[in-house]
Amino acid sequence: MKTGTKIITLENGYHLWTNTQGTGDIHLLALHGGPGGTHEYWEDTAQQLQKQGLNVQVHMYDQLGSWYSDTPDWDDPAVANNIETYDYYVDEVEEVRQKLGLDNFYLIGQSWGGALVQLYAAKYGDHLKGAIISSMVDRISDYTDHLAQIRKEALTPDELAYMQKCEAENNYDNDRYQALVTRLNEQYVDRKQPAAIAHLVDTMSVPLYNAFQGDNEFVITGKLKDWNFTDHLKDIQVPTLVTFGEHETMPLATGKRMAQMIPNARFASTPNGGHHHMIDNAPVYYDHLASFIRDVENNQF
């Protein structure tokens, strides 16, 4: 497949931005987080894997509503109700696979993308050679319990009380609250500072992010508050890598448990990595990824 950008048209008429990098017969489709984030932390994945001695064609795209792809009219309730669902986005992955002509491929997803990997592997696993769940729990209660713990450790009692007061009052748009969010982000999300990916304006799709997550990574008021896939982990039948950062928003204990519950899985953690550990500590993150792919390719997993 040729490298570069390709705009694909979905059956619903919307357009998605896709990009392919790298060479070789191994194919990896990368899903970003958010929802409402972008592909950009996957931009150098083909090059990073090549440093590990592995040639992989990496395919990435911005999901519907994200910066480089079409933005639906979120103010139209019918549009929002049809698109802001797990079913829509997992089926979108399958349509992208078809449009790009992929089969017997690897699927990697970070955060929200990791939820889609779980859903896709259970529903469409016949198309997969392997799955990589990066920084995503199988049940949201593990995440919220961990958030409560890290906020208690990272903030003073007064700062924590202030954040909780703002959240109870739905008062997120104030400088003090957002400054505390920034501090937490720098400790648990983007530990490598300044952040490697930056824009002159915020590229997050705020309506989509708010619908599923909420105002920020440390409070969940959207649809993800009901996320629970634990009973379906057994349905993921392909070789699976579960990988978390050692100092991130998702608890390591959950990643280890998930790897035990998925029939054919292993767990790996990235030292000094936050939620975006593919950037915080790229050499270790991509060593784990390359080792997983190489083992599957050699029937040694």
PDB file of all heavy atoms in Angstrom, residues 260-272:
ATOM      1  N   GLN A 260      -4.343 -11.588  32.401  1.00  0.00           N
ATOM      2  CA  GLN A 260      -4.629 -12.924  32.920  1.00  0.00           C
ATOM      3  C   GLN A 260      -5.996 -13.426  32.449  1.00  0.00           C
ATOM      4  O   GLN A 260      -6.181 -14.626  32.237  1.00  0.00           O
ATOM      5  CB  GLN A 260      -4.573 -12.919  34.447  1.00  0.00           C
ATOM      6  CG  GLN A 260      -3.175 -12.690  35.021  1.00  0.00           C
ATOM      7  CD  GLN A 260      -3.178 -12.552  36.538  1.00  0.00           C
ATOM      8  OE1 GLN A 260      -4.219 -12.346  37.158  1.00  0.00           O
ATOM      9  NE2 GLN A 260      -1.997 -12.657  37.140  1.00  0.00           N
ATOM     10  N   MET A 261      -6.937 -12.508  32.271  1.00  0.00           N
ATOM     11  CA  MET A 261      -8.297 -12.900  31.900  1.00  0.00           C
ATOM     12  C   MET A 261      -8.469 -13.104  30.397  1.00  0.00           C
ATOM     13  O   MET A 261      -9.321 -13.890  29.975  1.00  0.00           O
ATOM     14  CB  MET A 261      -9.291 -11.841  32.398  1.00  0.00           C
ATOM     15  CG  MET A 261      -9.374 -11.724  33.907  1.00  0.00           C
ATOM     16  SD  MET A 261     -10.628 -10.536  34.460  1.00  0.00           S
ATOM     17  CE  MET A 261     -12.138 -11.411  34.023  1.00  0.00           C
ATOM     18  N   ILE A 262      -7.688 -12.401  29.585  1.00  0.00           N
ATOM     19  CA  ILE A 262      -7.730 -12.613  28.136  1.00  0.00           C
ATOM     20  C   ILE A 262      -7.009 -13.927  27.846  1.00  0.00           C
ATOM     21  O   ILE A 262      -5.911 -14.156  28.351  1.00  0.00           O
ATOM     22  CB  ILE A 262      -7.071 -11.430  27.401  1.00  0.00           C
ATOM     23  CG1 ILE A 262      -7.871 -10.142  27.644  1.00  0.00           C
ATOM     24  CG2 ILE A 262      -6.978 -11.705  25.896  1.00  0.00           C
ATOM     25  CD1 ILE A 262      -7.167  -8.884  27.182  1.00  0.00           C
ATOM     26  N   PRO A 263      -7.596 -14.823  27.064  1.00  0.00           N
ATOM     27  CA  PRO A 263      -7.048 -16.173  26.910  1.00  0.00           C
ATOM     28  C   PRO A 263      -5.586 -16.260  26.496  1.00  0.00           C
ATOM     29  O   PRO A 263      -4.864 -17.143  26.962  1.00  0.00           O
ATOM     30  CB  PRO A 263      -7.960 -16.787  25.839  1.00  0.00           C
ATOM     31  CG  PRO A 263      -9.265 -16.085  26.026  1.00  0.00           C
ATOM     32  CD  PRO A 263      -8.904 -14.682  26.396  1.00  0.00           C
ATOM     33  N   ASN A 264      -5.110 -15.379  25.630  1.00  0.00           N
ATOM     34  CA  ASN A 264      -3.736 -15.471  25.128  1.00  0.00           C
ATOM     35  C   ASN A 264      -3.126 -14.077  25.140  1.00  0.00           C
ATOM     36  O   ASN A 264      -3.100 -13.390  24.115  1.00  0.00           O
ATOM     37  CB  ASN A 264      -3.727 -16.058  23.716  1.00  0.00           C
ATOM     38  CG  ASN A 264      -2.329 -16.394  23.234  1.00  0.00           C
ATOM     39  OD1 ASN A 264      -1.387 -16.514  24.022  1.00  0.00           O
ATOM     40  ND2 ASN A 264      -2.181 -16.537  21.927  1.00  0.00           N
ATOM     41  N   ALA A 265      -2.653 -13.643  26.313  1.00  0.00           N
ATOM     42  CA  ALA A 265      -2.217 -12.256  26.459  1.00  0.00           C
ATOM     43  C   ALA A 265      -0.990 -12.152  27.347  1.00  0.00           C
ATOM     44  O   ALA A 265      -0.691 -13.053  28.145  1.00  0.00           O
ATOM     45  CB  ALA A 265      -3.349 -11.404  27.035  1.00  0.00           C
ATOM     46  N   ARG A 266      -0.293 -11.037  27.208  1.00  0.00           N
ATOM     47  CA  ARG A 266       0.818 -10.703  28.100  1.00  0.00           C
ATOM     48  C   ARG A 266       0.693  -9.233  28.489  1.00  0.00           C
ATOM     49  O   ARG A 266       0.063  -8.448  27.779  1.00  0.00           O
ATOM     50  CB  ARG A 266       2.174 -10.968  27.441  1.00  0.00           C
ATOM     51  CG  ARG A 266       2.557  -9.981  26.369  1.00  0.00           C
ATOM     52  CD  ARG A 266       4.022 -10.102  25.913  1.00  0.00           C
ATOM     53  NE  ARG A 266       4.373 -11.418  25.420  1.00  0.00           N
ATOM     54  CZ  ARG A 266       5.265 -11.611  24.442  1.00  0.00           C
ATOM     55  NH1 ARG A 266       5.869 -10.576  23.856  1.00  0.00           N
ATOM     56  NH2 ARG A 266       5.551 -12.830  24.051  1.00  0.00           N
ATOM     57  N   PHE A 267       1.322  -8.896  29.604  1.00  0.00           N
ATOM     58  CA  PHE A 267       1.320  -7.520  30.096  1.00  0.00           C
ATOM     59  C   PHE A 267       2.724  -6.949  30.040  1.00  0.00           C
ATOM     60  O   PHE A 267       3.706  -7.651  30.294  1.00  0.00           O
ATOM     61  CB  PHE A 267       0.808  -7.468  31.536  1.00  0.00           C
ATOM     62  CG  PHE A 267       0.854  -6.092  32.144  1.00  0.00           C
ATOM     63  CD1 PHE A 267      -0.118  -5.162  31.835  1.00  0.00           C
ATOM     64  CD2 PHE A 267       1.883  -5.728  33.006  1.00  0.00           C
ATOM     65  CE1 PHE A 267      -0.076  -3.878  32.379  1.00  0.00           C
ATOM     66  CE2 PHE A 267       1.935  -4.460  33.556  1.00  0.00           C
ATOM     67  CZ  PHE A 267       0.951  -3.532  33.237  1.00  0.00           C
ATOM     68  N   ALA A 268       2.819  -5.664  29.702  1.00  0.00           N
ATOM     69  CA  ALA A 268       4.102  -4.956  29.714  1.00  0.00           C
ATOM     70  C   ALA A 268       3.858  -3.542  30.223  1.00  0.00           C
ATOM     71  O   ALA A 268       2.832  -2.932  29.927  1.00  0.00           O
ATOM     72  CB  ALA A 268       4.722  -4.916  28.325  1.00  0.00           C
ATOM     73  N   SER A 269       4.805  -3.040  31.004  1.00  0.00           N
ATOM     74  CA  SER A 269       4.694  -1.670  31.497  1.00  0.00           C
ATOM     75  C   SER A 269       5.913  -0.866  31.072  1.00  0.00           C
ATOM     76  O   SER A 269       7.000  -1.419  30.882  1.00  0.00           O
ATOM     77  CB  SER A 269       4.540  -1.639  33.018  1.00  0.00           C
ATOM     78  OG  SER A 269       5.666  -2.230  33.646  1.00  0.00           O
ATOM     79  N   THR A 270       5.710   0.436  30.937  1.00  0.00           N
ATOM     80  CA  THR A 270       6.758   1.335  30.462  1.00  0.00           C
ATOM     81  C   THR A 270       7.238   2.211  31.612  1.00  0.00           C
ATOM     82  O   THR A 270       6.489   3.068  32.093  1.00  0.00           O
ATOM     83  CB  THR A 270       6.236   2.235  29.326  1.00  0.00           C
ATOM     84  OG1 THR A 270       5.714   1.413  28.286  1.00  0.00           O
ATOM     85  CG2 THR A 270       7.346   3.105  28.768  1.00  0.00           C
ATOM     86  N   PRO A 271       8.488   2.044  32.073  1.00  0.00           N
ATOM     87  CA  PRO A 271       9.017   2.889  33.153  1.00  0.00           C
ATOM     88  C   PRO A 271       8.998   4.358  32.764  1.00  0.00           C
ATOM     89  O   PRO A 271       9.219   4.716  31.605  1.00  0.00           O
ATOM     90  CB  PRO A 271      10.462   2.387  33.317  1.00  0.00           C
ATOM     91  CG  PRO A 271      10.469   1.018  32.726  1.00  0.00           C
ATOM     92  CD  PRO A 271       9.466   1.050  31.611  1.00  0.00           C
ATOM     93  N   ASN A 272       8.711   5.209  33.741  1.00  0.00           N
ATOM     94  CA  ASN A 272       8.684   6.661  33.550  1.00  0.00           C
ATOM     95  C   ASN A 272       7.639   7.099  32.527  1.00  0.00           C
ATOM     96  O   ASN A 272       7.680   8.232  32.047  1.00  0.00           O
ATOM     97  CB  ASN A 272      10.063   7.187  33.133  1.00  0.00           C
ATOM     98  CG  ASN A 272      11.123   6.903  34.166  1.00  0.00           C
ATOM     99  OD1 ASN A 272      10.894   7.088  35.360  1.00  0.00           O
ATOM    100  ND2 ASN A 272      12.281   6.425  33.731  1.00  0.00           N
TER     101      ASN A 272
END
